[in-house]
Every structure is written in structure tokens, then in C-alpha cells.
Amino acid sequence: MNTPVSVENVVKRFGSGETAVVALDHLSLNIEEGDFTAIMGASGSGKSTLLHLMAGLTHPDEGRVLVLGKALSALSDRKLTHFRREQIGLIFQSFNLIPTLTAAENVALPLRLAGEREATIRERVDEMLHKLNIERRATHRPDALSGGEQQRVAIGRALVTRPAVVLADEPTGNLDSSNSIAICRLLRDLNETEGVSIVLVTHEPSVGMYARDAVFIRDGQLCHRAAIADMKDAAELANLYQTLLAAPASP
């Protein structure tokens, strides 16, 4: 089995000297091909920092992050930008859509930046909008779309290049419960049907239940990894989460 993402003994600090904050403390983690992994932890635990390292949006102070065997910190800014655009799909809590572009144009943007042929762009965008069940909204701009529809467009933009891995940072944070469930189901279905590896940061057990496994981060360290299939329901995952948070800190 391939390992699209490998995090090797990374350390990430913010600040310097006595005021430095260690966000990640010698953390290692592998994401295998076809994984759907939820990263869970309290606010400030380092989970979003870990996701940003996987995306190459920031670099570790020690250790390294490999995506498809490439060490991200060894790539030039230009090569990293191209590599990220082609191989890493990014989904954020804020949808980050361009307000002057339609839904279809937002989804098409990564392909246009990559210089794809117009016929390929039309085919890929039509296919993605159909999969996301928003083809009827193709010509609407973001201000005419609901929050759930905007997040679907953002997901389409992340997936249209057919990346090896999708990284999602609290993708349901700005959605109501109904749209949150719909987005979680959509991500799970895409993982199962397309085989894309997904890493999802969340603090909500109800969202984590849609993943295949959960990784728990505490004080910048990986403290536990659990198979979601072994969980009876979100309440059991929530209990495990609270137990891990309440456990005494290791010396």
C-alpha cells in the first residue's frame, strides 16, 4: 500500500527564546492510500498546524513531511505551488471562493492555472458539479449560494485536479447541522468511490464518525489512534476524546 503522506518526527515552534510555543513536538504520522483520517484535539493542540505542514503552507523546524515521496520543505516556492495545485486538495472552514466568479468558474480555476485545455476543463467541471449535485447552480456566484452550496463548490475546486490527498480544516465549522451532515456524507462517499485519501481536522465527534479512523493530538503530540469502525456511535467517540483530554500529562 502506498503512503501519500508521511510526517516524520516533526517539531514546529512559534516565537523564539523563552516565549517560544511548541505547537508540534516530535510528532510522526502516516496517511495511507485510501485513508479517511479525522485529526481531533482541543483548541491549541496543534491539529491545524499539522494540517498546514501536510499542505506545505508552513515548514517544520525539525523533521520532515513527505507527500508522494517528496519532502515539501526541499521544494522551491514555485515547485511547491505547482505540486500543491496538482496533488493536494485544500478545503477550509471559510469557503475562500472568488466572489466575481460563478460556481463553475471557481471549480475550474485550478485547471485554468495549470493550463489545461478548454475541453478538458469543461468535462472535468461538469463531472464534478454533477457529483456534488450542484450542476443547476453552475452559473450562480457565491453570494447567490447557500453555505452548504458554497462548501460543495470549494470541495469541487479541491477535487477537480484529481489530487492524491485532500486536506480539510474544520470544513463544517460555518454550516448548520443539516449541511454539516450532507458535507460529511459527501466526503465519505468521495473517499469510498474515488479512493482519495482525506485528512480532516475537527473537534466534533459527530463529524469524526464519518472518517475511517481518528488521530488524537494533545500538547503537540499524537496520543492515540483509533478505528472508527470500533466505535458504537458519536457518544463513544466523544467519551474517548474527553478521556484522552483529561488524562494526566506525560512527564
Side-chain angles (χ1 to χ4, degrees):
M1 180 177 289
N2 293 328
T3 305
V5 181
S6 182
V7 179
E8 299 180 350
N9 203 33
V10 299
V11 175
K12 182 62 181 177
R13 305 180 189 89
F14 294 102
S16 60
E18 295 182 359
T19 61
V21 174
V22 179
L24 294 173
D25 186 7
H26 296 94
L27 184 146
S28 296
L29 173 66
N30 284 339
I31 304 298
E32 306 296 344
E33 186 175 9
D35 276 357
F36 185 175
T37 299
I39 298 178
M40 303 185 68
S43 177
S45 62
K47 57 187 187 297
S48 289
T49 299
L50 175 59
L51 200 79
H52 290 175
L53 288 175
M54 291 180 178
L57 297 173
T58 186
H59 295 308
D61 296 305
E62 299 177 30
R64 62 178 186 166
V65 177
L66 292 89
V67 177
L68 301 182
K70 292 182 180 293
L72 298 185
S73 57
L75 299 176
S76 67
D77 288 345
R78 181 173 176 273
K79 288 183 177 180
L80 177 58
T81 297
H82 289 172
F83 181 76
R84 185 190 297 120
R85 187 169 63 213
E86 294 171 0
Q87 301 295 347
I88 303 173
L90 298 174
I91 305 168
F92 297 101
Q93 180 175 339
S94 55
F95 314 126
N96 294 331
L97 302 179
I98 297 178
T100 56
L101 300 183
T102 66
E105 289 167 343
N106 268 285
V107 173
L109 188 59
L111 298 176
R112 294 198 186 284
L113 292 173
E116 290 286 356
R117 295 184 303 113
E118 196 61 36
T120 300
I121 292 174
R122 286 198 301 270
E123 179 184 352
R124 293 261 199 102
V125 171
D126 288 348
E127 176 188 15
M128 189 56 60
L129 293 175
H130 176 71
K131 284 181 179 178
L132 299 171
N133 195 29
I134 51 172
E135 59 265 50
R136 293 177 300 166
R137 311 292 278 168
T139 60
H140 290 70
R141 291 188 174 89
D143 62 2
L145 301 175
S146 69
E149 289 169 340
Q150 289 186 61
Q151 191 60 290
R152 286 171 183 266
V153 173
I155 291 171
R157 183 182 56 193
L159 291 173
V160 75
T161 59
R162 298 173 180 168
V165 60
V166 170
L167 307 176
D169 194 357
E170 301 277 7
T172 63
N174 285 334
L175 302 177
D176 59 31
S177 58
S178 176
N179 276 311
S180 293
I181 291 171
I183 292 301
C184 288
R185 286 175 175 168
L186 175 61
L187 290 173
R188 184 177 62 188
D189 289 346
L190 289 168
N191 169 255
E192 293 175 350
T193 60
E194 305 293 327
V196 62
S197 303
I198 298 175
V199 181
L200 179 151
V201 163
T202 185
H203 64 276
E204 301 178 35
S206 60
V207 172
M209 284 298 295
Y210 286 88
R212 294 178 183 269
D213 69 325
V215 167
F216 298 88
I217 306 295
R218 179 181 172 187
D219 297 330
Q221 298 180 326
L222 194 159
C223 64
H224 191 67
R225 191 167 191 169
I228 296 298
D230 295 338
M231 303 288 170
K232 181 175 61 177
D233 51 28
E236 184 174 348
L237 180 57
N239 286 336
L240 174 60
Y241 177 51
Q242 293 299 328
T243 298
L244 291 169
L245 289 182
S250 56

PDB file of all heavy atoms in Angstrom, residues 189-218:
ATOM      1  N   ASP A 189     -18.398   9.561   0.846  1.00  0.00           N
ATOM      2  CA  ASP A 189     -18.716   8.921  -0.432  1.00  0.00           C
ATOM      3  C   ASP A 189     -17.578   9.100  -1.431  1.00  0.00           C
ATOM      4  O   ASP A 189     -17.230   8.164  -2.172  1.00  0.00           O
ATOM      5  CB  ASP A 189     -20.010   9.496  -1.012  1.00  0.00           C
ATOM      6  CG  ASP A 189     -21.246   9.072  -0.226  1.00  0.00           C
ATOM      7  OD1 ASP A 189     -21.127   8.135   0.588  1.00  0.00           O
ATOM      8  OD2 ASP A 189     -22.308   9.694  -0.418  1.00  0.00           O
ATOM      9  N   LEU A 190     -16.982  10.297  -1.474  1.00  0.00           N
ATOM     10  CA  LEU A 190     -15.868  10.540  -2.384  1.00  0.00           C
ATOM     11  C   LEU A 190     -14.665   9.683  -2.010  1.00  0.00           C
ATOM     12  O   LEU A 190     -13.947   9.179  -2.877  1.00  0.00           O
ATOM     13  CB  LEU A 190     -15.494  12.026  -2.371  1.00  0.00           C
ATOM     14  CG  LEU A 190     -16.504  12.966  -3.033  1.00  0.00           C
ATOM     15  CD1 LEU A 190     -16.181  14.420  -2.707  1.00  0.00           C
ATOM     16  CD2 LEU A 190     -16.544  12.757  -4.537  1.00  0.00           C
ATOM     17  N   ASN A 191     -14.424   9.511  -0.725  1.00  0.00           N
ATOM     18  CA  ASN A 191     -13.343   8.644  -0.266  1.00  0.00           C
ATOM     19  C   ASN A 191     -13.582   7.201  -0.710  1.00  0.00           C
ATOM     20  O   ASN A 191     -12.671   6.525  -1.191  1.00  0.00           O
ATOM     21  CB  ASN A 191     -13.215   8.731   1.251  1.00  0.00           C
ATOM     22  CG  ASN A 191     -12.306   7.674   1.840  1.00  0.00           C
ATOM     23  OD1 ASN A 191     -12.775   6.710   2.442  1.00  0.00           O
ATOM     24  ND2 ASN A 191     -11.009   7.838   1.684  1.00  0.00           N
ATOM     25  N   GLU A 192     -14.820   6.741  -0.569  1.00  0.00           N
ATOM     26  CA  GLU A 192     -15.131   5.353  -0.896  1.00  0.00           C
ATOM     27  C   GLU A 192     -15.164   5.094  -2.393  1.00  0.00           C
ATOM     28  O   GLU A 192     -14.711   4.051  -2.861  1.00  0.00           O
ATOM     29  CB  GLU A 192     -16.472   4.962  -0.262  1.00  0.00           C
ATOM     30  CG  GLU A 192     -16.431   4.914   1.261  1.00  0.00           C
ATOM     31  CD  GLU A 192     -17.785   4.635   1.881  1.00  0.00           C
ATOM     32  OE1 GLU A 192     -18.797   4.668   1.136  1.00  0.00           O
ATOM     33  OE2 GLU A 192     -17.838   4.397   3.099  1.00  0.00           O
ATOM     34  N   THR A 193     -15.696   6.045  -3.172  1.00  0.00           N
ATOM     35  CA  THR A 193     -15.861   5.805  -4.611  1.00  0.00           C
ATOM     36  C   THR A 193     -14.642   6.221  -5.419  1.00  0.00           C
ATOM     37  O   THR A 193     -14.309   5.582  -6.421  1.00  0.00           O
ATOM     38  CB  THR A 193     -17.098   6.554  -5.146  1.00  0.00           C
ATOM     39  OG1 THR A 193     -16.946   7.959  -4.917  1.00  0.00           O
ATOM     40  CG2 THR A 193     -18.362   6.072  -4.460  1.00  0.00           C
ATOM     41  N   GLU A 194     -13.953   7.289  -4.996  1.00  0.00           N
ATOM     42  CA  GLU A 194     -12.804   7.790  -5.747  1.00  0.00           C
ATOM     43  C   GLU A 194     -11.475   7.282  -5.188  1.00  0.00           C
ATOM     44  O   GLU A 194     -10.455   7.355  -5.855  1.00  0.00           O
ATOM     45  CB  GLU A 194     -12.792   9.328  -5.740  1.00  0.00           C
ATOM     46  CG  GLU A 194     -14.064   9.982  -6.250  1.00  0.00           C
ATOM     47  CD  GLU A 194     -14.293   9.734  -7.723  1.00  0.00           C
ATOM     48  OE1 GLU A 194     -13.306   9.645  -8.467  1.00  0.00           O
ATOM     49  OE2 GLU A 194     -15.472   9.630  -8.139  1.00  0.00           O
ATOM     50  N   GLY A 195     -11.490   6.807  -3.934  1.00  0.00           N
ATOM     51  CA  GLY A 195     -10.266   6.306  -3.322  1.00  0.00           C
ATOM     52  C   GLY A 195      -9.297   7.385  -2.888  1.00  0.00           C
ATOM     53  O   GLY A 195      -8.152   7.096  -2.546  1.00  0.00           O
ATOM     54  N   VAL A 196      -9.759   8.656  -2.899  1.00  0.00           N
ATOM     55  CA  VAL A 196      -8.874   9.745  -2.500  1.00  0.00           C
ATOM     56  C   VAL A 196      -8.637   9.708  -0.995  1.00  0.00           C
ATOM     57  O   VAL A 196      -9.549   9.428  -0.222  1.00  0.00           O
ATOM     58  CB  VAL A 196      -9.467  11.112  -2.928  1.00  0.00           C
ATOM     59  CG1 VAL A 196     -10.792  11.371  -2.243  1.00  0.00           C
ATOM     60  CG2 VAL A 196      -8.495  12.245  -2.643  1.00  0.00           C
ATOM     61  N   SER A 197      -7.400   9.922  -0.592  1.00  0.00           N
ATOM     62  CA  SER A 197      -7.066   9.975   0.832  1.00  0.00           C
ATOM     63  C   SER A 197      -7.496  11.324   1.392  1.00  0.00           C
ATOM     64  O   SER A 197      -7.212  12.359   0.795  1.00  0.00           O
ATOM     65  CB  SER A 197      -5.571   9.771   1.047  1.00  0.00           C
ATOM     66  OG  SER A 197      -5.140   8.543   0.497  1.00  0.00           O
ATOM     67  N   ILE A 198      -8.175  11.309   2.532  1.00  0.00           N
ATOM     68  CA  ILE A 198      -8.694  12.539   3.132  1.00  0.00           C
ATOM     69  C   ILE A 198      -8.204  12.655   4.570  1.00  0.00           C
ATOM     70  O   ILE A 198      -8.257  11.688   5.334  1.00  0.00           O
ATOM     71  CB  ILE A 198     -10.238  12.569   3.107  1.00  0.00           C
ATOM     72  CG1 ILE A 198     -10.748  12.530   1.661  1.00  0.00           C
ATOM     73  CG2 ILE A 198     -10.777  13.814   3.823  1.00  0.00           C
ATOM     74  CD1 ILE A 198     -12.268  12.445   1.551  1.00  0.00           C
ATOM     75  N   VAL A 199      -7.713  13.839   4.914  1.00  0.00           N
ATOM     76  CA  VAL A 199      -7.365  14.159   6.303  1.00  0.00           C
ATOM     77  C   VAL A 199      -8.242  15.326   6.709  1.00  0.00           C
ATOM     78  O   VAL A 199      -8.231  16.381   6.069  1.00  0.00           O
ATOM     79  CB  VAL A 199      -5.880  14.521   6.456  1.00  0.00           C
ATOM     80  CG1 VAL A 199      -5.566  14.825   7.915  1.00  0.00           C
ATOM     81  CG2 VAL A 199      -4.994  13.396   5.939  1.00  0.00           C
ATOM     82  N   LEU A 200      -9.002  15.145   7.776  1.00  0.00           N
ATOM     83  CA  LEU A 200      -9.994  16.129   8.202  1.00  0.00           C
ATOM     84  C   LEU A 200      -9.730  16.539   9.642  1.00  0.00           C
ATOM     85  O   LEU A 200      -9.674  15.681  10.535  1.00  0.00           O
ATOM     86  CB  LEU A 200     -11.394  15.536   8.048  1.00  0.00           C
ATOM     87  CG  LEU A 200     -12.618  16.363   8.459  1.00  0.00           C
ATOM     88  CD1 LEU A 200     -13.819  15.946   7.616  1.00  0.00           C
ATOM     89  CD2 LEU A 200     -12.957  16.184   9.930  1.00  0.00           C
ATOM     90  N   VAL A 201      -9.511  17.817   9.867  1.00  0.00           N
ATOM     91  CA  VAL A 201      -9.354  18.339  11.225  1.00  0.00           C
ATOM     92  C   VAL A 201     -10.723  18.716  11.771  1.00  0.00           C
ATOM     93  O   VAL A 201     -11.493  19.424  11.114  1.00  0.00           O
ATOM     94  CB  VAL A 201      -8.427  19.571  11.238  1.00  0.00           C
ATOM     95  CG1 VAL A 201      -8.588  20.357  12.536  1.00  0.00           C
ATOM     96  CG2 VAL A 201      -6.978  19.155  11.068  1.00  0.00           C
ATOM     97  N   THR A 202     -11.040  18.228  12.952  1.00  0.00           N
ATOM     98  CA  THR A 202     -12.321  18.564  13.578  1.00  0.00           C
ATOM     99  C   THR A 202     -12.199  18.392  15.088  1.00  0.00           C
ATOM    100  O   THR A 202     -11.351  17.640  15.581  1.00  0.00           O
ATOM    101  CB  THR A 202     -13.466  17.688  13.040  1.00  0.00           C
ATOM    102  OG1 THR A 202     -14.706  18.123  13.592  1.00  0.00           O
ATOM    103  CG2 THR A 202     -13.248  16.219  13.381  1.00  0.00           C
ATOM    104  N   HIS A 203     -13.057  19.099  15.822  1.00  0.00           N
ATOM    105  CA  HIS A 203     -13.160  18.854  17.259  1.00  0.00           C
ATOM    106  C   HIS A 203     -14.531  18.262  17.592  1.00  0.00           C
ATOM    107  O   HIS A 203     -14.849  18.066  18.755  1.00  0.00           O
ATOM    108  CB  HIS A 203     -12.944  20.159  18.039  1.00  0.00           C
ATOM    109  CG  HIS A 203     -13.991  21.188  17.769  1.00  0.00           C
ATOM    110  ND1 HIS A 203     -13.931  22.044  16.692  1.00  0.00           N
ATOM    111  CD2 HIS A 203     -15.144  21.484  18.416  1.00  0.00           C
ATOM    112  CE1 HIS A 203     -15.003  22.820  16.699  1.00  0.00           C
ATOM    113  NE2 HIS A 203     -15.749  22.503  17.735  1.00  0.00           N
ATOM    114  N   GLU A 204     -15.326  17.940  16.550  1.00  0.00           N
ATOM    115  CA  GLU A 204     -16.674  17.443  16.750  1.00  0.00           C
ATOM    116  C   GLU A 204     -16.736  15.927  16.532  1.00  0.00           C
ATOM    117  O   GLU A 204     -16.514  15.461  15.414  1.00  0.00           O
ATOM    118  CB  GLU A 204     -17.645  18.127  15.787  1.00  0.00           C
ATOM    119  CG  GLU A 204     -17.701  19.636  15.934  1.00  0.00           C
ATOM    120  CD  GLU A 204     -18.644  20.259  14.936  1.00  0.00           C
ATOM    121  OE1 GLU A 204     -19.679  19.635  14.617  1.00  0.00           O
ATOM    122  OE2 GLU A 204     -18.354  21.367  14.458  1.00  0.00           O
ATOM    123  N   PRO A 205     -17.029  15.153  17.567  1.00  0.00           N
ATOM    124  CA  PRO A 205     -17.140  13.702  17.395  1.00  0.00           C
ATOM    125  C   PRO A 205     -18.157  13.294  16.340  1.00  0.00           C
ATOM    126  O   PRO A 205     -17.961  12.298  15.636  1.00  0.00           O
ATOM    127  CB  PRO A 205     -17.564  13.224  18.797  1.00  0.00           C
ATOM    128  CG  PRO A 205     -17.005  14.251  19.721  1.00  0.00           C
ATOM    129  CD  PRO A 205     -17.149  15.552  18.992  1.00  0.00           C
ATOM    130  N   SER A 206     -19.243  14.044  16.190  1.00  0.00           N
ATOM    131  CA  SER A 206     -20.250  13.694  15.190  1.00  0.00           C
ATOM    132  C   SER A 206     -19.682  13.786  13.780  1.00  0.00           C
ATOM    133  O   SER A 206     -20.101  13.051  12.879  1.00  0.00           O
ATOM    134  CB  SER A 206     -21.474  14.610  15.319  1.00  0.00           C
ATOM    135  OG  SER A 206     -21.111  15.971  15.140  1.00  0.00           O
ATOM    136  N   VAL A 207     -18.727  14.684  13.568  1.00  0.00           N
ATOM    137  CA  VAL A 207     -18.049  14.791  12.274  1.00  0.00           C
ATOM    138  C   VAL A 207     -16.990  13.692  12.151  1.00  0.00           C
ATOM    139  O   VAL A 207     -16.863  13.044  11.115  1.00  0.00           O
ATOM    140  CB  VAL A 207     -17.408  16.185  12.116  1.00  0.00           C
ATOM    141  CG1 VAL A 207     -16.539  16.242  10.864  1.00  0.00           C
ATOM    142  CG2 VAL A 207     -18.495  17.249  12.057  1.00  0.00           C
ATOM    143  N   GLY A 208     -16.249  13.468  13.216  1.00  0.00           N
ATOM    144  CA  GLY A 208     -15.218  12.437  13.201  1.00  0.00           C
ATOM    145  C   GLY A 208     -15.742  11.057  12.887  1.00  0.00           C
ATOM    146  O   GLY A 208     -15.022  10.225  12.317  1.00  0.00           O
ATOM    147  N   MET A 209     -17.004  10.784  13.216  1.00  0.00           N
ATOM    148  CA  MET A 209     -17.587   9.464  12.982  1.00  0.00           C
ATOM    149  C   MET A 209     -17.674   9.105  11.501  1.00  0.00           C
ATOM    150  O   MET A 209     -17.807   7.936  11.149  1.00  0.00           O
ATOM    151  CB  MET A 209     -18.985   9.388  13.598  1.00  0.00           C
ATOM    152  CG  MET A 209     -18.996   9.236  15.103  1.00  0.00           C
ATOM    153  SD  MET A 209     -18.199   7.712  15.699  1.00  0.00           S
ATOM    154  CE  MET A 209     -19.290   6.448  15.022  1.00  0.00           C
ATOM    155  N   TYR A 210     -17.598  10.072  10.611  1.00  0.00           N
ATOM    156  CA  TYR A 210     -17.666   9.794   9.182  1.00  0.00           C
ATOM    157  C   TYR A 210     -16.333   9.315   8.623  1.00  0.00           C
ATOM    158  O   TYR A 210     -16.268   8.821   7.490  1.00  0.00           O
ATOM    159  CB  TYR A 210     -18.146  11.033   8.420  1.00  0.00           C
ATOM    160  CG  TYR A 210     -19.616  11.291   8.599  1.00  0.00           C
ATOM    161  CD1 TYR A 210     -20.082  12.053   9.665  1.00  0.00           C
ATOM    162  CD2 TYR A 210     -20.560  10.749   7.724  1.00  0.00           C
ATOM    163  CE1 TYR A 210     -21.440  12.287   9.847  1.00  0.00           C
ATOM    164  CE2 TYR A 210     -21.916  10.969   7.900  1.00  0.00           C
ATOM    165  CZ  TYR A 210     -22.350  11.743   8.965  1.00  0.00           C
ATOM    166  OH  TYR A 210     -23.707  11.962   9.148  1.00  0.00           O
ATOM    167  N   ALA A 211     -15.255   9.455   9.397  1.00  0.00           N
ATOM    168  CA  ALA A 211     -13.930   9.030   8.952  1.00  0.00           C
ATOM    169  C   ALA A 211     -13.744   7.531   9.170  1.00  0.00           C
ATOM    170  O   ALA A 211     -14.601   6.852   9.760  1.00  0.00           O
ATOM    171  CB  ALA A 211     -12.858   9.821   9.698  1.00  0.00           C
ATOM    172  N   ARG A 212     -12.627   7.020   8.700  1.00  0.00           N
ATOM    173  CA  ARG A 212     -12.283   5.611   8.926  1.00  0.00           C
ATOM    174  C   ARG A 212     -11.529   5.429  10.245  1.00  0.00           C
ATOM    175  O   ARG A 212     -11.649   4.401  10.898  1.00  0.00           O
ATOM    176  CB  ARG A 212     -11.416   5.078   7.781  1.00  0.00           C
ATOM    177  CG  ARG A 212     -12.121   4.996   6.433  1.00  0.00           C
ATOM    178  CD  ARG A 212     -11.158   4.515   5.367  1.00  0.00           C
ATOM    179  NE  ARG A 212     -11.756   4.491   4.049  1.00  0.00           N
ATOM    180  CZ  ARG A 212     -12.384   3.439   3.537  1.00  0.00           C
ATOM    181  NH1 ARG A 212     -12.476   2.329   4.238  1.00  0.00           N
ATOM    182  NH2 ARG A 212     -12.892   3.496   2.319  1.00  0.00           N
ATOM    183  N   ASP A 213     -10.725   6.438  10.597  1.00  0.00           N
ATOM    184  CA  ASP A 213     -10.008   6.371  11.868  1.00  0.00           C
ATOM    185  C   ASP A 213      -9.817   7.778  12.404  1.00  0.00           C
ATOM    186  O   ASP A 213      -9.967   8.766  11.674  1.00  0.00           O
ATOM    187  CB  ASP A 213      -8.667   5.636  11.736  1.00  0.00           C
ATOM    188  CG  ASP A 213      -7.644   6.402  10.921  1.00  0.00           C
ATOM    189  OD1 ASP A 213      -8.049   7.084   9.956  1.00  0.00           O
ATOM    190  OD2 ASP A 213      -6.445   6.318  11.226  1.00  0.00           O
ATOM    191  N   ALA A 214      -9.524   7.857  13.685  1.00  0.00           N
ATOM    192  CA  ALA A 214      -9.331   9.143  14.357  1.00  0.00           C
ATOM    193  C   ALA A 214      -7.951   9.170  14.998  1.00  0.00           C
ATOM    194  O   ALA A 214      -7.530   8.205  15.647  1.00  0.00           O
ATOM    195  CB  ALA A 214     -10.403   9.365  15.412  1.00  0.00           C
ATOM    196  N   VAL A 215      -7.255  10.286  14.787  1.00  0.00           N
ATOM    197  CA  VAL A 215      -5.960  10.527  15.409  1.00  0.00           C
ATOM    198  C   VAL A 215      -6.154  11.645  16.424  1.00  0.00           C
ATOM    199  O   VAL A 215      -6.719  12.690  16.102  1.00  0.00           O
ATOM    200  CB  VAL A 215      -4.918  10.943  14.350  1.00  0.00           C
ATOM    201  CG1 VAL A 215      -3.666  11.506  15.012  1.00  0.00           C
ATOM    202  CG2 VAL A 215      -4.570   9.758  13.462  1.00  0.00           C
ATOM    203  N   PHE A 216      -5.699  11.442  17.639  1.00  0.00           N
ATOM    204  CA  PHE A 216      -5.892  12.414  18.706  1.00  0.00           C
ATOM    205  C   PHE A 216      -4.570  13.109  19.015  1.00  0.00           C
ATOM    206  O   PHE A 216      -3.563  12.443  19.267  1.00  0.00           O
ATOM    207  CB  PHE A 216      -6.437  11.725  19.958  1.00  0.00           C
ATOM    208  CG  PHE A 216      -7.776  11.089  19.759  1.00  0.00           C
ATOM    209  CD1 PHE A 216      -7.877   9.778  19.305  1.00  0.00           C
ATOM    210  CD2 PHE A 216      -8.947  11.799  20.007  1.00  0.00           C
ATOM    211  CE1 PHE A 216      -9.116   9.185  19.105  1.00  0.00           C
ATOM    212  CE2 PHE A 216     -10.187  11.212  19.816  1.00  0.00           C
ATOM    213  CZ  PHE A 216     -10.271   9.909  19.364  1.00  0.00           C
ATOM    214  N   ILE A 217      -4.592  14.448  18.972  1.00  0.00           N
ATOM    215  CA  ILE A 217      -3.413  15.257  19.233  1.00  0.00           C
ATOM    216  C   ILE A 217      -3.601  15.978  20.567  1.00  0.00           C
ATOM    217  O   ILE A 217      -4.648  16.563  20.838  1.00  0.00           O
ATOM    218  CB  ILE A 217      -3.205  16.311  18.129  1.00  0.00           C
ATOM    219  CG1 ILE A 217      -3.183  15.657  16.746  1.00  0.00           C
ATOM    220  CG2 ILE A 217      -1.923  17.103  18.382  1.00  0.00           C
ATOM    221  CD1 ILE A 217      -2.047  14.727  16.513  1.00  0.00           C
ATOM    222  N   ARG A 218      -2.559  15.908  21.399  1.00  0.00           N
ATOM    223  CA  ARG A 218      -2.594  16.603  22.681  1.00  0.00           C
ATOM    224  C   ARG A 218      -1.237  17.212  22.944  1.00  0.00           C
ATOM    225  O   ARG A 218      -0.213  16.517  22.882  1.00  0.00           O
ATOM    226  CB  ARG A 218      -2.962  15.633  23.808  1.00  0.00           C
ATOM    227  CG  ARG A 218      -2.988  16.303  25.178  1.00  0.00           C
ATOM    228  CD  ARG A 218      -3.333  15.322  26.264  1.00  0.00           C
ATOM    229  NE  ARG A 218      -3.181  15.929  27.563  1.00  0.00           N
ATOM    230  CZ  ARG A 218      -3.281  15.288  28.714  1.00  0.00           C
ATOM    231  NH1 ARG A 218      -3.570  13.997  28.732  1.00  0.00           N
ATOM    232  NH2 ARG A 218      -3.118  15.913  29.851  1.00  0.00           N
TER     233      ARG A 218
END
